[in-house]
């Protein structure tokens, strides 16, 4: 399967509070370090879309995360306050 991951972050102003490309690199690197990579891609080892989204929220501090499997069905998880 191919997983599409979108993360949302809270910002208080529009003056590059978060550098998006740098955050993308951090998320990609963090996911690869946590789960490992083989010739096909990241090995999520049977995790659900919800579990992947919860990991991203916990690890990267996003307020909302959407994970789609094969670009279709999936889950949206919001950080609990």
């Amino acid at each position: 399967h191919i997983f599409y991951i979108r993360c949302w972050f809270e910002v208080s102003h529009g003056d590059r509070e978060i550098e998006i490309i740098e955050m993308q690199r951090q998320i990609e690197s963090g996911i690869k370090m946590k789960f490992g990579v083989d010739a096909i891609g990241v090995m999520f080892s049977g995790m659900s879309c919800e579990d992947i989204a919860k990991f991203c929220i916990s690890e990267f501090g996003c307020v909302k995360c959407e994970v789609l499997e094969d670009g279709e069905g999936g889950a949206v998880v919001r950080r609990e306050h």
Side-chain angles (χ1 to χ4, degrees):
H1 296 286
I2 297 173
F3 291 93
Y4 296 84
I5 301 171
R6 292 176 43 174
C7 296
W8 282 260
F9 294 88
E10 244 177 62
V11 293
S12 59
H13 58 80
D15 189 20
R16 295 182 185 232
E17 184 173 351
I18 294 175
E19 187 60 50
I20 298 302
I21 192 71
E22 181 58 32
M23 186 56 70
Q24 287 173 321
R25 289 180 185 138
Q26 287 178 22
I27 292 169
E28 182 178 358
S29 175
I31 287 172
K32 287 178 178 178
M33 286 179 58
K34 172 71 176 176
F35 300 105
V37 179
D38 68 4
I40 298 171
V42 175
M43 301 302 297
F44 287 113
S45 301
M47 290 177 69
S48 68
C49 293
E50 293 86 351
D51 289 338
I52 297 168
K54 288 176 186 176
F55 168 79
C56 290
I57 289 169
S58 171
E59 188 71 18
F60 307 113
C62 47
V63 295
K64 179 172 95 171
C65 182
E66 175 184 59
V67 179
L68 300 177
E69 187 174 332
D70 299 327
E72 296 178 5
V76 174
V77 178
R78 295 181 193 332
R79 179 175 62 200
E80 296 178 16
H81 296 290

